[in-house]
């Protein structure tokens, strides 16, 4: 079955990401249906009502929910449910849709790489996207205050580089044919996106331009960022700190966290020793229940037999039970029980003592390793995003210190494998921040999954930095787009990154079958790199590039010519920069950069009006 021309896109999940996806689809005129139980999403449900977007209030994973939303006639299904079981529900819905509608485009959010690859290998149109991987580059660049963002355009490296205007002149006079992406005035801070090359700038204005390394070098724009050499350090790591959750959870929660942490990191020998001890207690309890008899003939019950067994294994000998008057075989069993008990209790105690000492040493190792850190990056929160940012920074040669509140965090082994110090504690308080040497850091990234905790932590970091906070970028990862903008404006944080704003365009593009190659921030605005192939009869067929869009830049063009093997052939040369009087022709492949909403609109215009038999092509990362 093939989707009708105006078939709806079904969005499963009404969290921040889902709501932004719906908003972008709706504003582009795409029919959308949302499936969500709507609990805790009152604001989202009200916005849907304002937009006139239908809402099916049901769990998308329940049978019949997608049928009510119109699965049989859907164009695509987007799975972006959040919460503790969000990824499992996304996987469930994606597999269900693939079985029911092998032809429908399925776009799902999955952070587990192995599961993502398995789903991506399943035949059928769609894409598997990892939100953490999508947003990590923007967070890393904010931490490093990197003036450049590298883009891969058909195997050619292009760079979006920020620089400062060196004289009052037009952009063309200063940067030639480089594509200007944004200009922020030094006086007033007003930002103009995708300005004309003939726009005049003042001395000191911040300008971001796009071109190859050679083109940027010829224009005097630096495209390299020097990474400091990583210093040799002593053994790094972090471990369980029994006080880490003090004041934040009850005794039961702390005990559970400690038990889980001990279970995860206990030695296999300890587990075998404990299993042997338990087996000995069970067998001995059964033997004594069967064989022990008083002079009057009655024996011991299971509880008394267990008590006598433990008493014998522990060699305490209270005198209330004795093997003296029992059968010979039972007295021999008692000898074996006492000797075996010494062994099976001594070994677990030795393992347990070694583990506690090792963990205590490991818990202070993070503080010791961080104590000598200068110019490092502090990552607060070791979730999926935090560990991805830490790994990316480490790969760039930067020293990293992590502050984490949960001693049982499942990402700790990844950090320890890289030798990254982990300091445990509540980052909204000063002590763990001081232990991580925030005052001597080059940057701080707050990446927990709680927006309120991130804001509180960001303010605590700024208070600790004092008057020097302007010299240290404090990068806040916030989910909500409007909240991110408000926090940046009201609290004066210069590097607030919205997960929703960075990730949503990739999901929208994948749902519509558009080629969105990347997302990156330019002067606080999300920009996209997209690839389009002009279809015959589309709105772009025959259109001059100068009439494309005032806020979209054509980075490169690959013409469709018979001598190069036909449309989209890799043998065709890549023209960059293309002339503005060039006209698009059917089969041309163009690479464009621009603000997210405008570029999605341009990418959609490259397609001919769909028919009932038209099948969308898959985008990057799609199957």
């Amino acid at each position: 079955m093939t989707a009708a021309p105006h078939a709806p896109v079904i969005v499963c999940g009404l969290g921040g990401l889902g709501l932004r996806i719906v908003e972008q689809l709706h504003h582009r005129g795409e029919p959308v249906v949302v499936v969500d139980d709507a609990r805790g999403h009152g604001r989202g449900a009200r916005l849907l009502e304002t937009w006139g977007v239908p809402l099916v209030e049901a769990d998308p994973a329940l049978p019949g929910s997608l049928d009510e939303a119109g699965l049989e006639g859907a164009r695509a299904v987007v799975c972006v449910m959040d919460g503790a079981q969000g990824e499992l529900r996304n996987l469930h819905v994606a597999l269900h849709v693939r079985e029911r509608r092998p032809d429908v485009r399925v776009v799902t959010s999955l952070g587990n790489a192995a599961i993502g690859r398995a789903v991506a290998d399943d035949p059928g149109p769609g894409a598997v996207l990892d939100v953490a991987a999508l947003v990590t580059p923007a967070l890393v660049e904010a931490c490093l205050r990197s003036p450049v963002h590298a883009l891969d355009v058909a195997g050619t490296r292009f760079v979006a580089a920020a620089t400062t205007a060196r004289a009052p002149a037009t952009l063309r006079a200063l940067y030639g044919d480089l594509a200007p992406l944004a200009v922020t005035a030094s006086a007033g801070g007003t930002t103009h996106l995708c300005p004309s090359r003939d726009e005049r700038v003042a001395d000191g204005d911040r300008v971001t331009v796009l071109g190859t390394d050679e083109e940027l070098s010829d224009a005097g724009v630096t495209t390299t960022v020097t990474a400091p050499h990583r210093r040799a350090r002593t053994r790094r790591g972090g471990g369980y700190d029994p006080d880490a959750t003090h004041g934040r959870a009850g005794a039961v929660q702390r005990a559970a966290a400690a038990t889980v942490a001990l279970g995860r990191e206990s030695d296999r020998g300890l587990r075998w020793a404990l299993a042997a001890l338990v087996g000995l207690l069970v067998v001995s309890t059964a033997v004594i229940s069967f064989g022990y008899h008083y002079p009057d003939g009655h024996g011991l019950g299971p509880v008394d037999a267990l008590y006598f067994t433990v008493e014998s294994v522990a060699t305490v000998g209270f005198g209330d039970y004795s093997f003296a008057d029992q059968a010979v075989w039972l007295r021999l069993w008692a000898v074996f029980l006492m000797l075996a008990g010494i062994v099976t209790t001594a070994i677990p105690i030795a393992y347990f003592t070694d583990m506690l000492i090792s963990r205590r040493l490991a818990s202070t190792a993070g503080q010791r390793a961080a104590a000598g850190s200068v110019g490092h990056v502090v990552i607060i929160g070791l979730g999926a995003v935090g560990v991805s940012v830490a790994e990316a920074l480490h790969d760039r040669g930067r020293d990293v210190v992590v502050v984490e509140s949960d001693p049982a965090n499942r990402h700790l082994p990844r950090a320890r494998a890289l030798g990254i110090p982990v300091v445990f504690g509540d980052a909204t308080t000063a002590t763990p921040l001081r232990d991580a040497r925030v005052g001597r850091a080059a940057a701080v990234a707050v990446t927990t999954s709680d927006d309120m905790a991130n804001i509180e932590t960001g303010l605590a970091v700024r208070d600790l930095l004092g008057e020097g906070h302007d010299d240290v970028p404090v990068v806040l990862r916030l989910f909500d787009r409007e909240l991110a903008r408000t926090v940046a404006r009201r609290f004066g944080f210069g590097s607030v990154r919205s997960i929703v704003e960075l990730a949503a365009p990739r999901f929208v593009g994948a749902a519509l079958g558009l080629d969105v190659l990347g997302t990156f921030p330019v002067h606080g605005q999300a920009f996209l790199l997209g690839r389009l192939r002009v279809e015959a009869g589309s709105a772009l067929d025959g259109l001059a590039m100068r009439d494309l869009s005032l806020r979209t830049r054509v980075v490169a063009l690959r013409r469709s010519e018979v001598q190069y093997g036909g449309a989209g052939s890799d043998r065709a040369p890549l023209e960059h920069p293309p002339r503005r009087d060039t006209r698009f022709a059917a089969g041309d492949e163009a690479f464009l950069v621009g603000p997210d909403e405008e570029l999605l609109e341009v990418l959609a215009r490259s397609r001919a009006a769909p028919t009932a038999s038209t099948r969308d092509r898959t985008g990057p990362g799609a199957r």
Side-chain angles (χ1 to χ4, degrees):
M1 176 179 179
T2 302
H6 299 290
V9 176
I10 299 176
V11 178
C12 300
L14 196 56
L17 180 57
L19 189 62
R20 178 59 175 161
I21 292 170
V22 172
E23 181 182 11
Q24 288 194 336
L25 289 169
H26 172 68
H27 287 170
R28 293 190 62 255
E30 300 287 345
V32 190
V33 179
V34 178
V35 184
D36 191 274
D37 56 17
R39 289 177 295 181
H41 299 308
R43 173 177 172 269
R46 289 193 296 273
L47 284 174
L48 293 184
E49 185 176 357
T50 301
W51 298 333
V53 174
L55 170 63
V56 177
E57 295 193 44
D59 185 344
L62 293 178
S65 299
L66 296 181
D67 291 326
E68 186 178 349
L71 177 60
E72 288 304 315
R75 177 182 184 180
V77 177
V78 181
C79 306
V80 285
M81 289 171 280
D82 51 17
Q85 298 294 319
E87 288 209 351
L88 179 60
R89 297 167 69 201
N90 289 338
L91 176 63
H92 183 179
V93 173
L95 296 178
H96 173 68
V97 173
R98 183 60 66 223
E99 287 186 352
R100 288 278 308 278
R101 289 283 312 278
D103 62 307
V104 78
R105 187 175 299 280
V106 180
V107 183
T108 185
S109 172
L110 288 175
N112 186 290
I115 296 177
R117 285 192 298 269
V119 175
D121 290 339
D122 188 33
V128 177
L129 301 175
D130 179 4
V131 173
L134 294 179
V135 304
T136 292
L139 296 175
V140 169
E141 288 169 12
C143 289
L144 301 180
R145 284 183 171 172
S146 174
V148 303
H149 183 96
L151 304 171
D152 182 8
V153 178
T156 300
R157 172 183 156 100
F158 281 74
V159 176
T163 186
T164 302
R166 55 184 178 271
T170 64
L171 292 171
R172 188 184 304 275
L174 291 174
Y175 307 111
D177 289 333
L178 294 177
L181 300 184
V183 174
T184 299
S186 56
T190 304
T191 297
H192 185 190
L193 300 177
C194 294
S196 166
R197 289 186 177 88
D198 296 322
E199 179 171 323
R200 292 190 63 83
V201 294
D203 186 10
D205 286 356
R206 185 183 174 205
V207 181
T208 296
V209 290
L210 179 69
T212 64
D213 288 294
E214 294 78 9
E215 293 167 347
L216 290 164
S217 178
D218 292 342
V221 179
T222 302
T223 61
T224 57
V225 179
T226 303
H229 180 70
R230 183 178 290 111
R231 299 180 302 279
R233 278 182 172 161
T234 58
R235 178 178 178 270
R236 296 173 170 180
Y240 171 66
D241 182 354
D243 297 325
T245 56
H246 180 71
R248 294 181 61 84
V252 175
Q253 288 81 358
R254 293 197 299 273
T259 301
V260 170
L262 289 173
R264 284 180 177 176
E265 299 193 10
S266 59
D267 189 276
R268 179 181 295 182
L270 172 60
R271 294 193 289 271
W272 278 108
L274 290 175
L277 177 60
V278 172
L280 179 65
L281 295 177
V282 171
V283 171
S284 181
T285 299
V287 169
I288 292 177
S289 295
F290 172 78
Y292 192 95
H293 296 285
Y294 285 104
D296 59 5
H298 76 274
L300 293 180
V303 175
D304 290 335
L306 175 62
Y307 171 79
F308 192 13
T309 296
V310 173
E311 186 180 63
S312 301
V313 168
T315 64
V316 291
F318 292 118
D320 41 5
Y321 297 103
S322 172
F323 286 101
D325 299 325
Q326 299 302 308
V328 174
W329 70 269
L330 192 58
R331 281 181 283 166
L332 293 175
W333 172 259
V335 173
F336 166 77
L337 179 63
M338 286 182 283
L339 294 176
I342 293 173
V343 175
T344 55
T345 54
I347 293 177
I349 290 174
Y351 271 116
F352 194 67
T353 302
D354 176 71
M355 185 176 64
L356 286 181
I357 294 175
S358 298
R359 290 176 64 85
R360 174 57 65 182
L361 292 175
S363 69
T364 59
Q367 297 178 14
R368 292 199 307 271
S373 297
V374 177
H376 57 296
V377 179
V378 177
I379 306 294
I380 298 174
L382 201 62
V385 174
V387 72
S388 180
V389 172
E391 289 174 339
L393 288 167
H394 181 273
D395 291 343
R396 291 197 181 196
R398 302 290 173 140
D399 285 319
V400 179
V401 174
V402 169
V403 178
E404 170 57 38
S405 63
D406 182 10
N409 186 294
R410 66 189 182 94
H411 297 296
L412 283 174
R414 292 172 61 180
R416 289 172 179 159
L418 297 176
I420 295 175
V422 180
V423 175
F424 288 100
D426 179 5
T428 62
T429 61
T431 300
L433 297 179
R434 291 194 182 99
D435 290 341
R437 295 301 186 264
V438 165
R440 301 163 67 184
V444 180
V446 187
T447 63
T448 77
S449 57
D450 186 335
D451 279 4
M452 189 62 194
N454 287 348
I455 296 171
E456 186 179 358
T457 301
L459 293 173
V461 169
R462 193 167 67 177
D463 289 344
L464 184 62
L465 293 174
E467 295 181 357
H469 70 83
D470 289 336
D471 299 328
V472 179
V474 180
V475 183
L476 299 188
R477 170 243 183 170
L478 298 183
F479 208 82
D480 187 87
R481 180 174 60 118
E482 295 303 324
L483 179 61
R485 293 177 178 176
T486 302
V487 167
R489 183 174 61 253
R490 301 296 299 176
F491 293 158
F493 288 107
S495 301
V496 182
R497 298 290 182 262
S498 167
I499 301 300
V500 166
E501 192 160 14
L502 292 169
R506 295 295 294 273
F507 283 87
V508 173
L512 299 180
L514 306 175
D515 289 353
V516 179
L517 303 181
T519 307
F520 60 100
V522 175
H523 297 211
Q525 167 70 45
F527 268 57
L528 300 184
L529 168 66
R531 176 179 57 200
L532 64 83
R533 180 164 295 149
V534 180
E535 295 183 0
S538 69
L540 297 187
D541 191 0
L543 184 72
M545 286 190 186
R546 62 175 176 270
D547 299 326
L548 179 62
S549 171
L550 292 177
R551 299 178 68 189
T552 302
R553 294 283 175 262
V554 180
V555 179
L557 181 70
R558 177 174 283 148
R559 306 293 287 182
S560 171
E561 299 184 35
V562 176
Q563 62 266 34
Y564 293 121
S569 171
D570 289 339
R571 287 179 289 173
L574 195 67
E575 301 175 14
H576 59 85
R579 297 174 59 87
R580 283 183 58 81
D581 58 357
T582 299
R583 291 185 178 272
F584 291 109
D588 285 352
E589 187 178 57
F591 297 86
L592 303 92
V593 167
D596 52 3
E597 295 184 1
E598 288 208 23
L599 191 60
L600 286 173
E601 179 62 32
V602 172
L603 291 174
R605 290 169 57 195
S606 69
R607 301 185 178 277
T611 63
S613 61
T614 299
R615 296 293 298 272
D616 290 331
R617 298 179 64 86
T618 56
R623 299 181 292 280

